[in-house]
Amino acid sequence: MSELFDAIDALVASRSPLPPPAERKRLRQAHGLTLEEVAATLDVRRATVGAWESGKTEPRPPQREPYAHLLKQLARLYPSPSLSATEGGVLPAAPAATAPAPSR
């Protein structure tokens, strides 16, 4: 029965959630990691990590789970900036300061 649970765990890990490609790149760069460093750690080519970050390909097992773990750790260190509800992710403008009432 344990083998069945191991197989289920592996299946779930094969679909570990990942942030969008642009966020993957932002997180890596925020921590000052190079494509080479991430690639060497995950035992893949530099171009492979670049393809993951550009959205050309998606990581597959056995690298997907460790890559998802890396991104999760980086997201804790570098939370995504708050985005406004408007298209394009423009941050909301700071509220305008109210001018003092004229003295009489």
Side-chain angles (χ1 to χ4, degrees), residues 8-73:
I8 290 170
D9 289 344
L11 181 61
V12 171
S14 74
R15 302 293 193 273
S16 297
L18 297 171
E23 179 65 1
R24 300 171 197 173
K25 183 175 183 176
R26 183 193 73 81
L27 290 168
R28 176 183 56 78
Q29 291 177 333
H31 201 61
L33 297 173
T34 65
L35 288 170
E36 291 83 4
E37 289 172 317
V38 175
T41 300
L42 296 172
D43 196 28
V44 297
R45 295 178 316 137
R46 176 190 181 281
T48 301
V49 178
W52 296 343
E53 290 183 357
S54 68
K56 291 180 182 175
T57 63
E58 286 291 311
R60 294 179 301 192
Q63 288 82 16
R64 187 178 179 98
E65 186 175 5
Y67 184 55
H69 182 72
L70 168 68
L71 295 172
K72 187 176 181 180
Q73 296 291 47

Side-chain angles (χ1 to χ4, degrees), residues 1-13:
M1 191 65 133
S2 156
E3 291 174 9
L4 182 58
F5 284 103
D6 291 343
I8 290 170
D9 289 344
L11 181 61
V12 171

